[in-house]
Amino acid sequence: MNQIEGSVGQNGDNLEKDVRLVQGLLNRHDLTPLKKLNEDGRIGSLTIEAIRHFQTRFLVMQSPDVRVDPQWTTFRKLSNVTTEQGTGENQETRSADREARAERVDPRVKETAVTTRIIDALVPRMGNLRAKIIAGFLSDSDQFWKVNYHWEYLLQMVEHSLTLPIEDDVKKDLQNIRSTLTGCKPDPSTGYASSPVGRPEDKSTSEDAIKRYQIVKSMKESFGKITVSANLKGKSKKSPTMFDLAAAPVAYPGTSKHGSGYALDIEGDNSSIKSLCNGLGATLTFDENSHVHVEFKNGLAP
């Protein structure tokens, strides 16, 4: 078995020959929906994300260290390459399943072994249904990150709403929401709405993070009421779903069922998504307007 001399990944030694070896081993595993890496020996965001995905999916790490060290668990598991990839029974079926997975699962979705089994069983049953899985496993730290995601997303939608033809009193209410949100900025204050889960890393204290959750929760409720009373959806060219997501509730960090691995968020045709998942044994389907929160505590029914 080939060996690496130093660590590869986040804060690693990242020797060129070691990085190239790890990239090659990662490419021999099924890391759907991630694409194959360029085995160039250079550590970069794609290789870092592939290591994170591997540790989450194959080692069921809730807080991946995103490093491959010589003779440690991640390297040993990487070196033990399985020949079975995808969810199908033969090469042609596996290829089709991987294509369907790439189409149906947002690349930012994080997985544990439990989440992977649920997604692999669910995707082939979606057929022509308009549906995409946008969230899966979320560790406690990911759930704090999700608050920042919603903080930034809500702020963006408030800024957009202020450009619409609205009454002065509505504008004042929106400006108050904006002022309240900007008074509890994460550090850094941008990048959460467009980055993979967990990136960027917030440097705020835990007390500030909890305070931000409480403020975001309250401002979402206020924005939802304004959206309806001022008919913001009707005045905007943006999708109504974007307003729904801005007002959608966010769970208190550490309590979300996403931390168990058996919860998914699926956006698309909500009614059909609920019908499909209920028929497959979902233990909970909750319509959040912007998406459906689904839980399969007992797995999918055959």
Side-chain angles (χ1 to χ4, degrees):
M1 178 178 67
N2 291 327
Q3 300 290 342
I4 54 175
E5 294 182 11
S7 56
V8 173
Q10 191 166 278
N11 300 319
D13 301 312
N14 296 319
L15 301 175
E16 182 177 342
K17 66 182 185 63
D18 291 343
V19 174
R20 184 177 288 108
L21 174 58
V22 168
Q23 288 170 331
L25 291 173
L26 286 165
N27 282 339
R28 293 168 65 188
H29 287 269
D30 185 7
L31 297 183
T32 306
L34 301 186
K35 296 180 180 179
K36 295 291 185 182
L37 296 169
N38 181 14
E39 298 176 27
D40 56 7
R42 300 177 182 177
I43 198 70
S45 60
L46 295 180
T47 302
I48 291 291
E49 189 59 30
I51 295 172
R52 185 192 309 280
H53 190 78
F54 177 86
Q55 290 180 324
T56 300
R57 182 169 182 175
F58 289 91
L59 295 174
V60 200
M61 290 186 180
Q62 294 193 5
S63 299
D65 59 13
V66 202
R67 256 177 55 153
V68 182
D69 291 294
Q71 299 301 329
W72 283 72
T73 304
T74 299
F75 184 74
R76 290 199 299 269
K77 186 70 173 179
L78 264 176
S79 301
N80 182 23
V81 181
T82 177
T83 57
E84 283 300 313
Q85 298 184 340
T87 59
E89 300 178 353
N90 56 59
Q91 185 175 355
E92 182 178 348
T93 303
R94 288 195 297 270
S95 177
D97 286 344
R98 286 195 294 273
E99 290 177 3
R101 211 180 195 280
E103 179 183 351
R104 295 291 191 175
V105 184
D106 189 293
R108 294 182 294 181
V109 171
K110 297 180 70 173
E111 303 178 30
T112 64
V114 172
T115 316
T116 296
R117 286 197 297 271
I118 291 173
I119 291 176
D120 285 347
L122 179 60
V123 167
R125 306 190 193 188
M126 287 182 169
N128 295 322
L129 180 66
R130 183 168 63 85
K132 187 166 188 174
I133 299 169
I134 58 173
F137 169 75
L138 294 172
S139 66
D140 287 355
S141 61
D142 291 336
Q143 291 174 41
F144 275 103
W145 175 91
K146 189 176 181 181
V147 173
N148 292 346
Y149 168 90
H150 280 275
W151 174 89
E152 184 175 20
Y153 192 92
L154 174 57
L155 184 59
Q156 290 173 350
M157 291 304 294
V158 170
E159 295 281 9
H160 166 70
S161 299
L162 283 168
T163 67
L164 302 176
I166 53 178
E167 301 294 332
D168 287 343
D169 58 335
V170 175
K171 181 175 292 187
K172 183 177 180 180
D173 289 340
L174 289 171
Q175 289 172 335
N176 287 336
I177 293 177
R178 180 177 62 184
S179 177
T180 303
L181 289 173
T182 55
C184 64
K185 295 179 181 179
D187 180 18
S189 61
T190 60
Y192 306 95
S194 58
S195 302
V197 175
R199 293 291 180 270
E201 295 183 10
D202 184 10
K203 300 181 181 65
S204 301
T205 65
S206 57
E207 291 80 7
D208 286 341
I210 292 173
K211 179 181 178 181
R212 187 177 308 115
Y213 162 77
Q214 294 168 338
I215 289 174
V216 168
K217 180 177 182 291
S218 176
M219 293 302 99
K220 276 176 165 284
E221 293 172 354
S222 298
F223 183 73
K225 292 177 181 177
I226 295 173
T227 298
V228 174
S229 63
N231 189 28
L232 297 183
K233 293 181 183 179
K235 296 174 181 177
S236 172
K237 293 182 179 179
K238 288 185 179 294
S239 167
T241 303
M242 298 181 70
F243 287 91
D244 292 335
L245 179 58
V250 58
Y252 187 88
T255 64
S256 169
K257 294 299 183 181
H258 284 284
S260 66
Y262 60 75
L264 303 174
D265 286 343
I266 309 175
E267 69 174 8
D269 183 344
N270 286 13
S271 177
S272 297
I273 291 170
K274 289 173 62 179
S275 178
L276 171 68
C277 292
N278 284 330
L280 294 175
T283 49
L284 174 67
T285 55
F286 181 70
D287 191 333
E288 297 190 17
N289 290 330
S290 61
H291 62 272
V292 180
H293 175 84
V294 182
E295 296 177 13
F296 287 99
K297 188 174 182 179
N298 302 318
L300 270 70

